Amino acid sequence: MNGRPHKQSMSELKLRRLTEHNQRLKEDLARPRIRVSEASASLIRYCKTTKDPLVPSVWGPVARNEDPYAQQSGGGKGCCVIQ
């Protein structure tokens, strides 16, 4: 067998991999970015303004009707509803 077609297919494979990698890099470059200071300020603002029922030491006790994790009073005795 001649080694030439094998070398050509290997070079085509390498070219395809490089082209795909180049495309991914271009997509990463086009992704919108924000500064770390802006992201951290936004996260701090969110944490200060969003009430979390799982942290009652910070937000105080949560009323049962406002707690999404409290067992809902319903027709069944268990916590699950099977339909």
Side-chain angles (χ1 to χ4, degrees):
M1 272 184 141
N2 191 353
R4 188 129 178 118
H6 179 67
K7 284 186 178 181
Q8 188 177 14
S9 65
M10 287 298 286
S11 62
E12 288 174 357
L13 179 63
K14 286 181 182 180
L15 176 63
R16 188 178 64 197
R17 286 182 181 169
L18 285 172
T19 304
E20 290 171 354
H21 185 64
N22 191 22
Q23 182 62 32
R24 284 193 301 272
L25 289 173
K26 286 180 181 180
E27 290 170 1
D28 284 346
L29 186 61
R31 185 174 296 129
R33 305 193 186 272
I34 62 172
R35 292 188 170 132
V36 173
S37 58
E38 294 173 27
S40 59
S42 174
L43 182 60
I44 291 169
R45 189 171 43 255
Y46 174 82
C47 291
K48 285 184 175 181
T49 59
T50 304
K51 190 172 182 177
D52 188 352
L54 294 178
V55 190
S57 61
V58 174
W59 296 102
V62 180
R64 191 165 183 80
N65 59 349
E66 294 178 5
D67 188 356
Y69 303 105
Q71 186 176 7
Q72 302 294 324
S73 59
K77 292 183 179 181
C79 65
C80 302
V81 176
I82 300 176
Q83 296 181 348

Coordinates of all heavy atoms in Angstrom, one line a residue:
M1 N 0.8 -1.2 0.0 CA 0.0 0.0 0.0 C 0.9 1.2 0.0 O 1.9 1.3 0.6 CB -0.9 0.0 1.2 CG -2.2 -0.7 1.1 SD -2.9 -0.3 2.7 CE -4.5 -0.1 2.4
N2 N 0.4 2.2 -0.6 CA 1.1 3.5 -0.7 C 0.7 4.3 0.5 O -0.4 4.4 0.9 CB 0.7 4.2 -2.0 CG 1.6 5.4 -2.3 OD1 2.4 5.8 -1.4 ND2 1.4 6.0 -3.4
G3 N 1.7 4.9 1.2 CA 1.5 5.7 2.4 C 0.9 7.1 2.1 O 0.5 7.8 3.0
R4 N 0.9 7.5 0.9 CA 0.5 8.9 0.5 C -0.9 9.2 0.9 O -1.2 10.2 1.5 CB 0.8 9.1 -1.0 CG 0.6 10.5 -1.4 CD 1.8 11.0 -2.1 NE 1.6 12.3 -2.6 CZ 2.3 13.4 -2.2 NH1 3.3 13.2 -1.4 NH2 2.1 14.6 -2.6
P5 N -1.9 8.3 0.5 CA -3.3 8.7 0.9 C -3.5 8.8 2.4 O -4.3 9.6 2.8 CB -4.1 7.5 0.3 CG -3.3 6.9 -0.8 CD -1.9 7.1 -0.4
H6 N -2.8 7.9 3.1 CA -2.9 8.0 4.6 C -2.4 9.3 5.1 O -3.1 9.9 6.0 CB -2.2 6.8 5.2 CG -2.2 6.8 6.7 ND1 -3.4 6.5 7.4 CD2 -1.3 7.0 7.6 CE1 -3.1 6.6 8.7 NE2 -1.8 6.9 8.8
K7 N -1.3 9.8 4.6 CA -0.8 11.1 5.0 C -1.7 12.2 4.7 O -1.9 13.1 5.5 CB 0.6 11.3 4.4 CG 1.7 10.5 5.1 CD 3.0 10.9 4.5 CE 4.2 10.2 5.2 NZ 5.5 10.6 4.6
Q8 N -2.3 12.1 3.5 CA -3.2 13.2 3.1 C -4.5 13.2 4.0 O -4.9 14.2 4.4 CB -3.6 12.9 1.6 CG -4.4 14.1 1.1 CD -4.8 13.8 -0.4 OE1 -4.6 12.8 -0.9 NE2 -5.2 14.9 -1.0
S9 N -5.0 12.0 4.3 CA -6.2 12.0 5.2 C -5.8 12.5 6.6 O -6.6 13.1 7.3 CB -6.8 10.6 5.2 OG -5.9 9.7 5.8
M10 N -4.6 12.2 7.1 CA -4.2 12.7 8.4 C -4.1 14.2 8.4 O -4.5 14.9 9.3 CB -2.8 12.0 8.8 CG -2.9 10.6 9.2 SD -4.0 10.3 10.6 CE -2.9 11.0 11.9
S11 N -3.5 14.7 7.3 CA -3.4 16.2 7.2 C -4.8 16.8 7.1 O -5.0 17.9 7.7 CB -2.5 16.6 6.1 OG -3.1 16.2 4.8
E12 N -5.7 16.2 6.4 CA -7.1 16.7 6.3 C -7.8 16.7 7.7 O -8.5 17.6 8.1 CB -7.9 15.9 5.3 CG -7.5 16.2 3.9 CD -8.2 15.3 2.9 OE1 -9.0 14.4 3.3 OE2 -8.0 15.4 1.7
L13 N -7.5 15.6 8.4 CA -8.1 15.5 9.8 C -7.5 16.6 10.7 O -8.3 17.2 11.4 CB -7.7 14.1 10.4 CG -8.2 13.8 11.8 CD1 -9.8 13.9 11.8 CD2 -7.7 12.5 12.2
K14 N -6.2 16.8 10.6 CA -5.6 17.9 11.4 C -6.2 19.2 11.0 O -6.4 20.1 11.9 CB -4.1 17.9 11.3 CG -3.4 16.7 12.0 CD -1.9 16.8 11.8 CE -1.2 15.6 12.4 NZ 0.3 15.7 12.3
L15 N -6.3 19.4 9.8 CA -6.9 20.7 9.3 C -8.3 20.9 9.8 O -8.7 22.0 10.3 CB -6.9 20.8 7.8 CG -7.5 22.0 7.2 CD1 -6.8 23.3 7.6 CD2 -7.6 21.9 5.7
R16 N -9.1 19.8 9.7 CA -10.5 19.9 10.2 C -10.5 20.2 11.7 O -11.3 21.1 12.2 CB -11.2 18.6 9.9 CG -12.7 18.8 10.2 CD -13.5 17.5 9.9 NE -13.0 16.4 10.7 CZ -13.2 15.2 10.5 NH1 -13.8 14.8 9.4 NH2 -12.7 14.2 11.3
R17 N -9.7 19.6 12.5 CA -9.6 19.8 13.9 C -9.2 21.2 14.2 O -9.8 21.9 15.1 CB -8.6 18.9 14.6 CG -9.1 17.5 14.7 CD -8.2 16.6 15.4 NE -8.6 15.2 15.6 CZ -7.9 14.2 16.0 NH1 -6.6 14.4 16.3 NH2 -8.4 13.0 16.0
L18 N -8.2 21.8 13.5 CA -7.8 23.1 13.7 C -8.8 24.1 13.3 O -9.1 25.1 14.0 CB -6.5 23.4 12.9 CG -5.2 22.8 13.5 CD1 -4.0 23.0 12.5 CD2 -4.9 23.4 14.8
T19 N -9.5 23.8 12.3 CA -10.6 24.7 11.8 C -11.8 24.7 12.9 O -12.3 25.8 13.2 CB -11.2 24.2 10.5 OG1 -10.1 24.2 9.5 CG2 -12.3 25.2 10.0
E20 N -12.1 23.6 13.4 CA -13.2 23.5 14.4 C -12.7 24.2 15.7 O -13.5 25.0 16.3 CB -13.5 22.0 14.8 CG -14.2 21.3 13.7 CD -14.4 19.8 13.9 OE1 -13.8 19.3 14.9 OE2 -15.1 19.2 13.1
H21 N -11.4 24.1 16.1 CA -10.9 24.7 17.3 C -10.9 26.3 17.0 O -11.3 27.0 17.9 CB -9.5 24.2 17.6 CG -8.9 24.8 18.8 ND1 -9.5 24.5 20.1 CD2 -7.9 25.6 19.0 CE1 -8.8 25.2 21.0 NE2 -7.8 25.8 20.4
N22 N -10.5 26.7 15.9 CA -10.5 28.1 15.5 C -12.0 28.7 15.6 O -12.2 29.8 16.1 CB -9.9 28.3 14.1 CG -9.7 29.7 13.8 OD1 -9.6 30.5 14.7 ND2 -9.6 30.1 12.6
Q23 N -12.9 27.9 15.1 CA -14.3 28.4 15.2 C -14.8 28.5 16.6 O -15.5 29.5 17.0 CB -15.2 27.4 14.4 CG -16.7 27.8 14.4 CD -16.9 29.1 13.7 OE1 -16.2 29.4 12.8 NE2 -17.9 29.9 14.1
R24 N -14.4 27.5 17.5 CA -14.8 27.6 18.9 C -14.1 28.9 19.6 O -14.8 29.6 20.4 CB -14.4 26.4 19.7 CG -15.3 25.2 19.4 CD -15.1 24.1 20.4 NE -13.7 23.6 20.3 CZ -13.3 22.6 19.6 NH1 -14.1 22.0 18.7 NH2 -12.0 22.2 19.6
L25 N -12.9 29.1 19.2 CA -12.2 30.3 19.8 C -12.9 31.6 19.3 O -13.1 32.5 20.1 CB -10.8 30.3 19.3 CG -9.9 29.3 20.0 CD1 -8.5 29.3 19.4 CD2 -9.8 29.5 21.5
K26 N -13.3 31.6 18.1 CA -14.1 32.8 17.6 C -15.4 33.0 18.3 O -15.8 34.1 18.6 CB -14.3 32.7 16.1 CG -13.1 32.9 15.2 CD -13.4 32.8 13.7 CE -12.2 32.9 12.8 NZ -12.6 32.8 11.4
E27 N -16.1 31.9 18.6 CA -17.3 32.0 19.3 C -17.1 32.5 20.8 O -17.9 33.3 21.3 CB -18.0 30.6 19.3 CG -18.6 30.2 18.0 CD -19.0 28.7 18.0 OE1 -19.0 28.1 19.0 OE2 -19.5 28.3 16.9
D28 N -16.0 32.0 21.4 CA -15.7 32.5 22.7 C -15.3 34.0 22.7 O -15.7 34.7 23.6 CB -14.5 31.7 23.3 CG -14.8 30.3 23.7 OD1 -16.0 30.0 23.8 OD2 -13.9 29.5 23.9
L29 N -14.7 34.4 21.7 CA -14.3 35.8 21.6 C -15.5 36.7 21.4 O -15.6 37.8 21.9 CB -13.3 36.0 20.4 CG -12.7 37.4 20.3 CD1 -11.9 37.8 21.5 CD2 -11.8 37.5 19.0
A30 N -16.5 36.2 20.7 CA -17.7 37.0 20.5 C -18.7 37.0 21.6 O -19.6 37.8 21.7 CB -18.5 36.4 19.2
R31 N -18.5 36.1 22.6 CA -19.4 36.0 23.8 C -19.3 37.3 24.6 O -18.2 37.9 24.9 CB -19.0 34.9 24.7 CG -19.9 34.6 25.9 CD -19.5 33.4 26.6 NE -19.7 32.2 25.8 CZ -18.8 31.3 25.6 NH1 -17.6 31.4 26.2 NH2 -19.0 30.3 24.8
P32 N -20.5 37.9 25.0 CA -20.4 39.1 25.7 C -19.8 38.9 27.1 O -20.0 37.9 27.8 CB -21.9 39.5 25.9 CG -22.7 38.3 25.6 CD -21.8 37.4 24.7
R33 N -19.0 39.9 27.5 CA -18.3 39.8 28.8 C -18.6 41.0 29.7 O -18.9 42.1 29.2 CB -16.8 39.7 28.5 CG -16.5 38.5 27.6 CD -15.1 38.2 27.6 NE -14.8 37.2 26.6 CZ -14.8 35.9 26.8 NH1 -15.1 35.4 28.0 NH2 -14.5 35.0 25.9
I34 N -18.5 40.8 31.0 CA -18.6 42.0 31.9 C -17.4 41.9 32.9 O -16.8 40.8 33.0 CB -19.9 42.0 32.7 CG1 -20.1 40.7 33.5 CG2 -21.1 42.2 31.8 CD1 -21.3 40.8 34.5
R35 N -17.1 43.0 33.5 CA -16.0 43.0 34.4 C -16.3 42.2 35.7 O -17.5 42.2 36.1 CB -15.6 44.4 34.8 CG -15.0 45.1 33.6 CD -14.5 46.5 34.0 NE -13.7 47.1 33.0 CZ -13.8 48.3 32.5 NH1 -14.7 49.1 33.1 NH2 -13.1 48.7 31.5
V36 N -15.3 41.7 36.3 CA -15.5 40.9 37.6 C -16.2 41.8 38.6 O -17.0 41.4 39.4 CB -14.2 40.3 38.1 CG1 -14.4 39.7 39.4 CG2 -13.7 39.3 37.1
S37 N -15.7 43.1 38.7 CA -16.3 44.0 39.7 C -17.8 44.2 39.5 O -18.6 44.3 40.4 CB -15.5 45.3 39.7 OG -15.6 45.9 38.4
E38 N -18.2 44.3 38.2 CA -19.6 44.5 37.9 C -20.4 43.2 38.3 O -21.5 43.3 38.8 CB -19.8 44.8 36.4 CG -19.3 46.1 36.0 CD -19.4 46.3 34.5 OE1 -20.2 45.7 33.8 OE2 -18.5 47.0 33.9
A39 N -19.9 42.0 37.9 CA -20.5 40.8 38.2 C -20.7 40.6 39.7 O -21.7 40.1 40.2 CB -19.8 39.6 37.6
S40 N -19.6 40.9 40.5 CA -19.7 40.7 41.9 C -20.6 41.7 42.6 O -21.4 41.3 43.5 CB -18.3 40.8 42.6 OG -17.7 42.0 42.3
A41 N -20.7 42.9 42.1 CA -21.6 43.9 42.6 C -23.1 43.5 42.3 O -23.9 43.6 43.2 CB -21.3 45.3 42.0
S42 N -23.3 42.9 41.1 CA -24.6 42.4 40.8 C -25.0 41.3 41.7 O -26.2 41.2 42.1 CB -24.6 42.0 39.3 OG -25.9 41.4 39.0
L43 N -24.1 40.4 41.9 CA -24.4 39.2 42.8 C -24.7 39.7 44.2 O -25.6 39.2 44.9 CB -23.2 38.2 42.8 CG -23.3 37.0 43.6 CD1 -24.5 36.1 43.1 CD2 -22.1 36.1 43.5
I44 N -23.9 40.6 44.7 CA -24.1 41.1 46.1 C -25.5 41.8 46.2 O -26.3 41.6 47.1 CB -23.0 42.1 46.5 CG1 -21.7 41.3 46.7 CG2 -23.4 42.9 47.8 CD1 -20.5 42.2 46.9
R45 N -25.8 42.6 45.2 CA -27.1 43.3 45.1 C -28.3 42.2 45.1 O -29.3 42.4 45.8 CB -27.2 44.2 43.9 CG -28.4 45.1 43.8 CD -28.2 46.1 42.7 NE -27.8 45.6 41.4 CZ -26.5 45.8 40.9 NH1 -25.7 46.6 41.6 NH2 -26.2 45.3 39.8
Y46 N -28.1 41.2 44.3 CA -29.1 40.2 44.3 C -29.3 39.5 45.6 O -30.4 39.2 46.1 CB -28.8 39.1 43.2 CG -29.7 38.0 43.2 CD1 -30.9 38.0 42.5 CD2 -29.4 36.8 43.8 CE1 -31.8 37.0 42.5 CE2 -30.3 35.7 43.8 CZ -31.5 35.8 43.1 OH -32.3 34.7 43.1
C47 N -28.2 39.1 46.2 CA -28.3 38.4 47.5 C -28.9 39.3 48.6 O -29.6 38.8 49.5 CB -26.9 38.0 48.0 SG -26.2 36.6 47.0
K48 N -28.7 40.6 48.6 CA -29.2 41.5 49.6 C -30.7 41.8 49.4 O -31.4 42.1 50.3 CB -28.5 42.8 49.5 CG -27.1 42.8 50.2 CD -26.4 44.1 50.2 CE -25.1 44.0 50.9 NZ -24.5 45.4 51.0
T49 N -31.2 41.7 48.1 CA -32.6 42.0 47.8 C -33.5 40.8 47.7 O -34.7 41.0 47.7 CB -32.7 42.9 46.6 OG1 -32.1 42.2 45.5 CG2 -32.0 44.2 46.8
T50 N -33.0 39.6 47.5 CA -33.8 38.4 47.3 C -33.9 37.7 48.6 O -32.9 37.2 49.1 CB -33.2 37.6 46.2 OG1 -33.0 38.3 45.0 CG2 -34.1 36.4 45.9
K51 N -35.1 37.5 49.1 CA -35.3 36.8 50.4 C -35.2 35.3 50.1 O -35.7 34.8 49.2 CB -36.7 37.1 50.9 CG -37.0 36.7 52.3 CD -38.3 37.2 52.8 CE -38.5 36.7 54.2 NZ -39.7 37.2 54.8
D52 N -34.4 34.7 51.0 CA -34.1 33.2 50.9 C -34.7 32.5 52.1 O -34.2 32.7 53.2 CB -32.6 33.0 50.8 CG -32.3 31.5 50.5 OD1 -33.2 30.7 50.5 OD2 -31.1 31.2 50.3
P53 N -35.8 31.7 51.9 CA -36.4 31.1 53.1 C -35.5 30.0 53.8 O -35.8 29.6 54.9 CB -37.6 30.4 52.5 CG -37.4 30.3 51.0 CD -36.4 31.4 50.7
L54 N -34.4 29.6 53.1 CA -33.5 28.7 53.7 C -32.5 29.3 54.6 O -31.7 28.6 55.3 CB -32.8 27.9 52.6 CG -33.7 27.0 51.8 CD1 -32.9 26.3 50.7 CD2 -34.4 26.0 52.6
V55 N -32.5 30.7 54.7 CA -31.5 31.4 55.6 C -32.4 32.2 56.6 O -32.3 33.5 56.5 CB -30.5 32.2 54.8 CG1 -29.4 32.7 55.7 CG2 -29.9 31.4 53.7
P56 N -33.1 31.6 57.5 CA -33.9 32.4 58.4 C -33.1 33.3 59.4 O -33.6 34.2 59.9 CB -34.8 31.4 59.2 CG -34.0 30.1 59.1 CD -33.2 30.2 57.8
S57 N -31.8 32.9 59.6 CA -31.0 33.7 60.5 C -30.8 35.1 60.0 O -30.5 36.0 60.7 CB -29.7 33.0 60.8 OG -29.0 32.8 59.6
V58 N -30.8 35.2 58.6 CA -30.6 36.5 58.0 C -31.9 37.3 57.8 O -32.1 38.4 58.1 CB -29.9 36.4 56.7 CG1 -29.8 37.7 55.9 CG2 -28.5 35.8 56.9
W59 N -33.0 36.5 57.3 CA -34.2 37.1 56.9 C -35.3 37.0 57.9 O -36.4 37.5 57.7 CB -34.7 36.5 55.5 CG -33.7 36.8 54.4 CD1 -32.8 35.9 53.9 CD2 -33.6 38.0 53.7 NE1 -32.1 36.5 52.9 CE2 -32.5 37.8 52.8 CE3 -34.2 39.2 53.8 CZ2 -32.1 38.8 51.9 CZ3 -33.8 40.2 52.9 CH2 -32.8 40.0 52.0
G60 N -35.1 36.3 59.0 CA -36.1 36.1 59.9 C -37.0 34.9 59.5 O -36.9 34.3 58.5
P61 N -37.9 34.5 60.4 CA -38.8 33.4 60.1 C -39.7 33.7 59.0 O -40.1 34.8 58.8 CB -39.6 33.2 61.4 CG -39.5 34.4 62.2 CD -38.2 35.1 61.8
V62 N -40.0 32.6 58.2 CA -40.8 32.8 57.0 C -42.2 32.2 57.4 O -42.3 31.1 58.0 CB -40.2 32.0 55.9 CG1 -41.0 32.1 54.6 CG2 -38.8 32.4 55.6
A63 N -43.2 32.9 56.9 CA -44.6 32.5 57.1 C -44.8 31.2 56.3 O -44.3 31.0 55.3 CB -45.6 33.5 56.7
R64 N -45.6 30.3 56.9 CA -45.8 29.0 56.3 C -46.4 29.1 54.9 O -46.0 28.4 54.0 CB -46.7 28.1 57.1 CG -46.8 26.7 56.7 CD -47.4 25.9 57.9 NE -47.4 24.5 57.6 CZ -46.4 23.7 57.8 NH1 -45.3 24.1 58.2 NH2 -46.5 22.4 57.5
N65 N -47.2 30.1 54.6 CA -47.8 30.2 53.3 C -46.9 30.9 52.3 O -47.1 30.8 51.1 CB -49.1 31.1 53.4 CG -48.9 32.5 53.9 OD1 -47.8 32.7 54.4 ND2 -49.9 33.3 53.8
E66 N -45.8 31.5 52.8 CA -44.8 32.1 51.9 C -43.6 31.1 51.7 O -42.8 31.4 50.8 CB -44.2 33.4 52.5 CG -45.3 34.5 52.6 CD -44.7 35.7 53.2 OE1 -43.5 35.7 53.5 OE2 -45.4 36.7 53.4
D67 N -43.5 30.1 52.5 CA -42.3 29.2 52.4 C -42.6 28.1 51.3 O -43.4 27.3 51.4 CB -42.1 28.4 53.7 CG -40.8 27.6 53.8 OD1 -40.2 27.6 52.7 OD2 -40.5 27.1 54.8
P68 N -41.8 28.2 50.2 CA -42.0 27.2 49.1 C -41.6 25.8 49.5 O -41.9 24.8 48.8 CB -41.1 27.8 48.0 CG -40.1 28.6 48.6 CD -40.7 29.1 49.9
Y69 N -40.8 25.7 50.6 CA -40.3 24.3 51.0 C -41.1 23.7 52.1 O -40.9 22.6 52.4 CB -38.8 24.4 51.4 CG -38.0 25.0 50.3 CD1 -37.5 26.3 50.4 CD2 -37.6 24.3 49.2 CE1 -36.7 26.9 49.4 CE2 -36.9 24.8 48.2 CZ -36.4 26.1 48.3 OH -35.6 26.7 47.3
A70 N -42.1 24.4 52.6 CA -43.0 23.9 53.7 C -43.9 22.9 53.1 O -44.3 23.0 51.9 CB -43.7 25.0 54.4
Q71 N -44.3 21.9 53.9 CA -45.3 21.0 53.4 C -46.6 21.6 53.2 O -47.1 22.3 54.1 CB -45.4 19.8 54.4 CG -46.3 18.7 54.0 CD -46.3 17.5 55.0 OE1 -45.8 17.7 56.1 NE2 -46.9 16.5 54.6
Q72 N -47.2 21.5 52.1 CA -48.4 22.1 51.7 C -49.6 21.3 52.3 O -49.6 20.1 52.2 CB -48.6 22.2 50.2 CG -47.5 23.0 49.5 CD -47.5 24.5 49.9 OE1 -48.5 25.1 50.2 NE2 -46.3 25.0 50.1
S73 N -50.5 22.0 52.9 CA -51.7 21.3 53.5 C -52.6 21.0 52.3 O -52.9 21.8 51.4 CB -52.4 22.2 54.5 OG -52.9 23.4 53.8
G74 N -52.9 19.8 52.2 CA -53.7 19.3 51.1 C -54.6 18.1 51.4 O -54.7 17.8 52.6
G75 N -55.1 17.4 50.5 CA -56.0 16.3 50.7 C -55.2 15.1 51.2 O -55.8 14.2 51.9
G76 N -54.0 14.9 50.8 CA -53.3 13.7 51.2 C -52.5 13.8 52.5 O -52.3 14.9 53.0
K77 N -52.1 12.7 53.0 CA -51.3 12.6 54.3 C -49.8 12.7 54.0 O -49.1 13.1 54.9 CB -51.7 11.4 55.1 CG -53.1 11.4 55.6 CD -53.3 10.1 56.5 CE -54.7 10.1 57.0 NZ -54.9 9.0 57.8
G78 N -49.4 12.3 52.8 CA -48.0 12.3 52.5 C -47.6 13.6 51.9 O -48.3 14.5 51.7
C79 N -46.3 13.6 51.5 CA -45.7 14.8 50.9 C -45.8 14.7 49.3 O -45.5 15.7 48.7 CB -44.3 15.0 51.3 SG -43.2 13.6 50.7
C80 N -46.2 13.6 48.8 CA -46.2 13.5 47.3 C -47.6 13.3 46.8 O -48.5 12.7 47.5 CB -45.4 12.3 46.9 SG -43.7 12.4 47.5
V81 N -47.8 13.7 45.6 CA -49.1 13.6 45.0 C -48.9 12.7 43.7 O -48.1 13.1 42.9 CB -49.7 14.9 44.6 CG1 -51.0 14.7 43.8 CG2 -49.9 15.8 45.8
I82 N -49.6 11.6 43.6 CA -49.5 10.8 42.5 C -50.8 10.9 41.6 O -51.9 10.8 42.1 CB -49.3 9.3 42.9 CG1 -48.1 9.1 43.7 CG2 -49.3 8.4 41.7 CD1 -47.9 7.8 44.3
Q83 N -50.6 11.3 40.4 CA -51.7 11.5 39.5 C -51.8 10.4 38.5 O -50.9 9.8 38.0 CB -51.5 12.8 38.8 CG -51.6 14.0 39.7 CD -51.5 15.3 39.0 OE1 -51.1 15.3 37.8 NE2 -51.7 16.4 39.7

